[in-house]
Amino acid sequence: MRVHHRKGRNVLYVDQGYTVKINGISEDESDTLLEHLYEHALRLELHYHHKWDLISLVGDDNPVSKHCAVNDYTEPVSYTHLRAHETRGNL
């Protein structure tokens, strides 16, 4: 469980590659609940897949987003990171 840095709301962080147990419940309960959460995160209606073009700019709520890069491009790629919380003034 994390607290969202701006909203102050609780955020449940579960990642199959990092989360191994939920503290405070039995191992069987933990395994069952984690499996349910992993399956929930795989629901396609919760996913966003961006179709890139030359002027694309995508933002997300990083503390509550799960990222998975898909190697589905053939063009040369360059990246620029803009961190809004580090930016002063208007964008």
Side-chain angles (χ1 to χ4, degrees):
M1 185 74 69
R2 295 178 176 182
V3 176
H4 192 280
H5 69 284
R6 280 190 328 250
K7 298 177 183 176
R9 294 173 40 191
N10 289 334
V11 177
L12 184 59
Y13 177 81
V14 176
D15 184 289
Q16 204 163 5
Y18 296 98
T19 308
V20 294
K21 183 180 184 318
I22 298 175
N23 294 333
I25 60 177
S26 74
E27 188 171 340
D28 286 341
E29 289 175 308
S30 174
D31 291 347
T32 300
L33 181 54
L34 286 174
E35 189 59 39
H36 172 75
L37 293 170
Y38 299 150
E39 288 175 13
H40 179 78
L42 294 175
R43 290 176 38 203
L44 291 179
E45 66 268 23
L46 300 176
H47 293 201
Y48 174 76
H49 184 92
H50 186 76
K51 180 145 178 67
W52 294 97
D53 59 31
L54 292 175
I55 59 169
S56 290
L57 175 65
V58 175
D60 66 359
D61 192 358
N62 198 52
V64 295
S65 298
K66 184 171 180 163
H67 308 274
C68 181
V70 177
N71 188 2
D72 62 353
Y73 44 85
T74 57
E75 304 298 321
V77 178
S78 65
Y79 298 96
T80 302
H81 280 99
L82 171 66
R83 294 183 180 251
H85 66 276
E86 295 174 356
T87 303
R88 304 275 190 252
N90 296 326
L91 295 177

